[in-house]
Amino acid sequence: MNPAIRAMLSYSLRRRVGGVRFLGALAIALLPTLNLVLDVAFGDDPTRQFDLYLKYIVPICLYFVTPFVTMMTMLPVIGELYEKGAVGYIYTRPAPRWMPIFGLYLGGVSATLLVFFAAAFVPAAFGAIVTDAAPPGRWLSAAFGLFGTLALGGLAYGAICVFLGVWTRRAILWAAALLIGWGVLVGSSPGSLRETSLHYYLFGLARSWCGVAGDTFSGIFPPVVDPPTPLLSIVVLVVATVTFLLLAARCAERRDVM
Amino acid sequence: MSAPAIRCDGLCRWYGEVQGLSGITLEIGAGVAGLLGPNGSGKSTFMRLATGLISPNRGWVEVFGKRMDRPDRYEVFRRVGYAVGEDTHFESERAVDFLRMLAMLGGAGSEQAKDLADRALDRVVLTDRADTKLSGMSKGMRQRVKLAQALLFEPELLLLDEPLNGMDPVSRRSTLDLVRAWGASGRTVVFASHVLHEVEAVTERVVLLHHGRLLAEGLLAEIRELVDLRPRRVRLEGVGLAAMAAAALAEGIASGVTTHPSGAVHLETRQLPALLERLATSGASGAIHSMEIDDADLETLFALLLEESV
């Protein structure tokens, strides 16, 4: 790997994983697990915990964990360097600006994926070990499906956060509008508008990869009746990731470092 | 012929309504050049423009012949080291990791980056603090780390923005020595400061900025001569000063005398060296207990130059 990218990846990962925000993100990611723990402790139907994972934990992870964790871990990746003027140290090196930005993005995304890994696998491991609701293979398969979905969501939304960090000082407002407004709210609203939202494609993946059947998928939000295919979802999410990273690189060339 | 280290023409930069730099045209070649001006005069703006961190509203700046408002400007940073005016901001990093990261950003492999970082720390006498986090360092030490990162690749052009801020006397001296040596080796140093004697300590060549404008450019001695034409005040305390002052007045080396009830005497002169010679002779017997000369400090200098330019 290019030394410039590697240096920033390493710095970004250290910085993200070492901070209090990371613990906060981890706490958010593990919050849905609490529901499973409580159900095991106090619930009266010991066979429903796997359903709980699919119908409760998966959508909560998609609607709640994905945007908030991504915002917490990815927004400061480049935004804080601009805010403090520290980016001047990075941009006065013989490397085109997209390189450090890409390295910072990779480091931030790695930290985000660690959190998503915990969000998907901790409740699944708990369920597989403590309950008899489903064979361990099914728990593991669902967890892999959820992690894959969250990971692609993290890549795309992470790229949006990095772009916003480079583009504007008000990145947090824009991120809230894009990740929560455009992502969660538009993505869960009925009608064809939801097809413009990245969350719609995340649902397409989750339904397919987690093995959830038909409309029973979401007990909380309106069901995705006609979900996109996994291939289409992957293409849309990858295109969004690349597009926003290119935009970030372009913005970095133009934005003044004060 | 090789391009000068820095060349700019009609360089302008505004921050909204505020003028950061206005119509600067100059060339800076090998050696040490002092960029002198009070806070807000445009020194840091000039540095940022010269490193492409901000873009000019009008005009252009070239570093080693490369326009700094173009995307391919990064190539020139193989030859440039820049110590920004602000603090380091990578507080969570150890000094050696910070330098290593920046060395890798410059294209060095992991091991080479470590060697470069160690060498740079050695140069600013911080080897024993290599593993200290920047947050645990004094401001003076962080200043030295900033200097170290600018020196990583032995740059041909060194841009230092207020490098002595917060440094202790020993570090200041070693930094000034380093700057002089860098300039003497045929490379270029742009040394920005708002303190006249700091600039005087490293160079005779200055660029004076005031409110974003280029007020004067040239040898400090020439600018000093202008200052020396201005009446200077010498405050004396001691015994028998009235007679001494009267003699100086009669000889024409003092142009005015004010006697204070406390016994202190203020002399005004346009021939400071001659007056000092005269006072040294007269005061050798111990008649003069204390003497203060109003320094031709930055404010005086700028006030004078502004008067000249009106």
Side-chain angles (χ1 to χ4, degrees):
Chain A
M1 188 186 283
N2 178 290
I5 295 173
R6 187 150 45 97
M8 295 321 295
L9 189 161
S10 166
Y11 165 74
S12 181
L13 184 60
R14 270 201 316 274
R15 181 95 178 117
R16 299 281 71 81
V17 173
V20 179
R21 276 186 201 177
F22 184 75
L23 295 177
L26 214 51
I28 288 176
L30 292 176
L31 214 55
T33 308
L34 198 61
N35 190 272
L36 196 62
V37 173
L38 291 175
D39 198 78
V40 168
F42 304 110
D44 47 9
D45 181 1
T47 62
R48 73 169 186 167
Q49 276 106 16
F50 187 67
D51 267 359
L52 200 66
Y53 184 86
L54 296 181
K55 290 180 183 173
Y56 178 79
I57 291 180
V58 170
I60 284 291
C61 279
L62 289 180
Y63 276 120
F64 183 68
V65 173
T66 308
F68 282 98
V69 165
T70 308
M71 280 169 67
M72 284 178 84
T73 54
M74 294 302 290
L75 269 182
V77 158
I78 187 89
E80 71 178 11
L81 294 175
Y82 267 100
E83 223 168 77
K84 294 176 173 178
V87 79
Y89 288 98
I90 293 167
Y91 286 168
T92 50
R93 305 288 146 188
R97 291 183 179 181
W98 69 263
M99 279 189 186
I101 287 174
F102 188 55
L104 288 165
Y105 167 77
L106 290 181
V109 155
S110 303
T112 310
L113 293 193
L114 285 177
V115 179
F116 286 163
F117 185 84
F121 281 93
V122 168
F126 177 79
I129 293 166
V130 175
T131 76
D132 298 322
R138 280 199 72 195
W139 282 103
L140 200 63
S141 162
F144 268 116
L146 177 58
F147 176 65
T149 307
L150 294 178
L152 279 171
L155 289 175
Y157 283 128
I160 291 176
C161 287
V162 164
F163 160 65
L164 293 175
V166 177
W167 181 54
T168 174
R169 287 180 185 177
R170 298 184 182 87
I172 191 159
L173 296 177
W174 279 99
L178 287 176
L179 273 65
I180 298 169
W182 176 55
V184 175
L185 298 179
V186 172
S188 61
S189 65
S192 56
L193 190 62
R194 68 192 307 177
E195 290 173 28
T196 66
S197 164
L198 291 184
H199 254 76
Y200 174 74
Y201 299 94
L202 289 182
F203 269 106
L205 285 181
R207 285 184 63 148
S208 171
W209 286 357
C210 295
V212 185
D215 296 346
T216 60
F217 175 58
S218 174
I220 305 167
F221 299 99
V224 178
V225 179
D226 187 18
T229 62
L231 181 63
L232 176 63
S233 299
I234 291 171
V235 168
V236 168
L237 290 165
V238 168
V239 167
T241 303
V242 173
T243 302
F244 280 104
L245 284 177
L246 289 174
L247 283 173
R250 190 172 166 77
C251 266
E253 291 295 343
R254 294 169 176 216
R255 182 173 169 186
D256 286 340
V257 178
M258 308 307 280
Chain B
M1 200 174 81
S2 63
I6 299 179
R7 199 153 64 101
C8 59
D9 185 33
L11 196 60
C12 292
R13 171 71 199 201
W14 288 276
Y15 300 104
E17 299 280 300
V18 181
Q19 179 184 270
L21 217 55
S22 177
I24 305 290
T25 299
L26 57 84
E27 276 191 21
I28 297 176
V32 182
L35 195 59
L36 190 60
N39 291 328
S41 58
K43 301 186 298 293
S44 296
T45 298
F46 179 80
M47 293 282 198
R48 287 198 182 105
L49 286 163
T51 48
L53 291 177
I54 57 176
S55 302
N57 296 107
R58 212 183 300 155
W60 50 263
V61 57
E62 280 180 358
V63 172
F64 295 121
K66 179 80 78 182
R67 283 279 291 264
M68 295 309 287
D69 53 350
R70 303 269 165 83
D72 64 350
R73 65 190 159 230
Y74 68 87
E75 289 166 6
V76 89
F77 287 114
R78 290 187 198 290
R79 304 168 70 185
V80 178
Y82 173 41
V84 303
E86 295 79 23
D87 217 337
T88 44
H89 299 309
F90 288 84
E91 297 90 344
S92 61
E93 296 295 288
R94 297 183 310 158
V96 68
D97 292 335
F98 173 61
L99 295 176
R100 195 173 168 177
M101 174 182 87
L102 295 178
M104 286 178 76
L105 268 171
S110 190
E111 282 308 306
Q112 191 198 356
K114 175 79 169 65
D115 291 344
L116 289 169
D118 288 342
R119 200 193 316 160
L121 282 169
D122 182 49
R123 192 163 238 155
V124 296
V125 203
L126 269 181
T127 304
D128 58 334
R129 296 290 188 145
D131 294 326
T132 306
K133 283 189 174 181
L134 297 179
S135 58
M137 289 184 164
S138 67
K139 189 177 179 193
M141 282 181 196
R142 288 203 298 273
Q143 285 286 74
R144 282 193 272 163
V145 173
K146 263 172 35 179
L147 185 60
Q149 62 83 28
L151 297 171
L152 273 171
F153 288 99
E154 307 275 329
E156 291 166 58
L157 168 62
L158 196 52
L159 296 159
L160 305 176
D161 196 352
E162 303 275 3
L164 303 181
N165 270 0
M167 273 193 188
D168 60 82
V170 177
S171 305
R172 289 169 87 91
R173 195 188 307 148
S174 63
T175 303
L176 291 172
D177 288 345
L178 190 145
V179 168
R180 277 191 292 262
W182 213 265
S185 69
R187 291 175 275 198
T188 306
V189 184
V190 180
F191 183 96
S193 175
H194 66 282
V195 182
L196 180 58
H197 71 83
E198 285 180 1
V199 173
E200 278 185 310
V202 289
T203 186
E204 265 293 302
R205 203 155 46 107
V206 292
V207 174
L208 288 163
L209 295 177
H210 192 263
H211 290 312
R213 290 181 179 278
L214 181 64
L215 200 56
E217 183 196 357
L219 295 175
L220 198 53
E222 291 168 3
I223 296 165
R224 269 261 186 224
E225 275 177 26
L226 286 173
V227 176
D228 289 341
L229 290 174
R230 187 186 171 96
R232 307 285 299 278
R233 284 189 124 200
V234 179
R235 185 178 187 274
L236 301 170
E237 282 180 12
V239 290
L241 295 177
M244 198 187 298
L249 206 55
E251 289 168 25
I253 51 176
S255 53
V257 177
T258 315
T259 308
H260 288 258
S262 63
V265 169
H266 287 190
L267 293 174
E268 221 174 66
T269 180
R270 289 178 191 273
Q271 301 173 49
L272 185 64
L275 178 65
L276 292 177
E277 183 66 29
R278 178 80 170 79
L279 293 176
T281 315
S282 310
S285 60
I288 300 171
H289 297 163
S290 75
M291 177 174 79
E292 285 174 24
I293 308 167
D294 65 340
D295 185 28
D297 59 8
L298 204 55
E299 284 75 22
T300 313
L301 189 60
F302 278 106
L304 184 73
L305 289 167
L306 283 168
E307 281 170 22
E308 294 274 318
S309 66
V310 170

